[in-house]
């Protein structure tokens, strides 16, 4: 059974005859201890405070039966690890059209036709986040003012808390307020139209950060922690 905050993505699952429903990762309407295994891919890095990220993992653990396991993937600050560039960085020069397309690598989902969730960006200015921004761990530069930096796609990260541009292809959607537009180069009439750009909030995790958050919960045990193509990953066991 799958769940997602986006109704459009859940509708796609339904069209493919999969079981899925819309919900919030902070409050999943499933009975406690009823799951043998859970996965959380590219979700927790969208929560803007340390408290909310911890609460999401606690909710994931609540769903597991004793002995059940959970797999968590989050985007890594270190997109170059052990002298190896991630697929995300390598794809920068792989295609002339890559930069205008939505990122669909291991731990990032396509935006599809989702509407922007401005609440994530609003809450990104919380006191906790501002404290996090002052932390210069793993080479992240502190932000001097209240504005989050906007990331340049297919490049290394310079801040742990940032906005990542997501381009909607086609330009057929009605323009939303406070949404940037870009002229997408290309030969077709469709690609010449203005396409909206949505700035999505991310907190990219430093090495050891996800594991440390998981270890702070006394209801789970970290079975394994590893790096995979620009993502930090943890496998948990419910105690």
């Amino acid at each position: 059974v799958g769940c997602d905050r986006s109704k459009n993505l859940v509708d796609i699952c339904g069209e493919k005859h999969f079981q899925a429903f819309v919900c919030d990762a902070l409050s999943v309407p499933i009975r406690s201890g009823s799951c043998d295994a859970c996965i959380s891919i590219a979700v927790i890095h969208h929560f803007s405070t340390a408290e909310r990220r911890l609460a999401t993992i606690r909710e994931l653990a609540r769903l597991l039966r004793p002995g059940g396991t959970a797999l968590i993937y989050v985007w890594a600050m270190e997109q170059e690890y052990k002298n190896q560039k991630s697929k995300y960085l390598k794809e920068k020069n792989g295609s002339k059209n890559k930069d205008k397309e939505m990122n669909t690598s291991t731990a990032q989902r396509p935006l599809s036709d989702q509407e922007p969730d401005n609440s994530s960006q609003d809450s990104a200015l919380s006191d906790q986040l501002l404290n996090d921004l002052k932390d210069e761990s793993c080479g992240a530069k502190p932000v001097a003012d209240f504005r989050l930096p906007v990331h340049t796609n297919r490049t290394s990260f310079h801040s742990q808390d940032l906005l990542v541009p997501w381009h909607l292809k086609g330009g057929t959607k009605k323009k939303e307020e406070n949404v940037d537009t870009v002229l997408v180069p290309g030969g077709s009439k469709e690609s010449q139209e203005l396409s909206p750009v949505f700035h999505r909030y991310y907190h990219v995790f430093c090495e050891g950060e996800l594991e440390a958050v998981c270890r702070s919960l006394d209801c789970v045990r970290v079975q394994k922690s590893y790096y995979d193509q620009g993502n930090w990953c943890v496998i948990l066991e419910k105690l």
Side-chain angles (χ1 to χ4, degrees), residues 18 26 45 124 148 166 183 192 199 216:
F18 295 121
L26 288 168
H45 56 218
L148 289 173
W166 287 70
L183 184 62
Q192 288 292 341
H199 290 155
S216 70

Side-chain angles (χ1 to χ4, degrees), residues 25-183:
L26 288 168
S27 181
V28 180
I30 293 179
R31 187 176 68 252
S32 298
S34 61
C35 299
D36 295 314
C38 297
I39 61 172
S40 174
I41 306 296
V43 173
I44 296 174
H45 56 218
H46 288 300
F47 287 97
S48 60
T49 66
E51 289 86 355
R52 287 166 67 83
R53 293 189 287 270
L54 176 62
T56 310
I57 298 173
R58 183 183 289 112
E59 177 70 356
L60 196 67
R62 180 189 67 80
L63 303 175
L64 293 171
R65 62 165 176 79
T69 55
L71 171 65
I72 301 173
Y73 265 63
V74 295
W75 217 352
M77 177 82 178
E78 301 85 353
Q79 289 296 306
E80 187 166 347
Y81 186 68
K82 294 184 177 178
N83 297 320
Q84 293 289 325
K85 289 186 177 180
S86 69
K87 183 180 178 182
Y88 175 71
L89 293 182
K90 288 180 179 178
E91 285 183 353
K92 180 177 182 181
N93 299 318
S95 168
K96 294 180 180 179
N97 296 323
K98 285 290 184 182
D99 285 341
K100 73 178 182 183
E101 294 177 356
M102 294 171 292
N103 185 1
T104 56
S105 61
T106 306
Q108 295 116 46
R109 303 170 305 175
L111 184 59
S112 186
D113 290 326
Q114 283 179 257
E115 296 299 324
D117 180 5
N118 292 327
S119 61
S120 294
Q121 296 180 23
D122 293 340
S123 60
L125 299 179
S126 67
D127 290 338
Q128 176 63 42
L129 176 57
L130 292 176
N131 289 333
D132 291 346
L133 290 173
K134 295 175 183 177
D135 183 1
E136 298 187 43
S137 60
C138 66
K141 296 179 180 178
V143 175
D145 56 28
F146 288 89
R147 292 170 295 181
L148 289 173
V150 177
H151 177 62
T152 301
N153 285 331
R154 309 294 175 184
T155 64
S156 298
F157 297 114
H158 301 291
S159 172
Q160 277 194 270
D161 296 274
L162 41 80
L163 300 176
V164 176
W166 287 70
H167 301 242
L168 281 187
K169 294 181 288 185
T172 57
K173 290 281 185 181
K174 181 180 178 181
K175 294 179 183 177
E176 302 287 340
E177 294 183 2
N178 300 323
V179 175
D180 295 337
T181 58
V182 295
L183 184 62

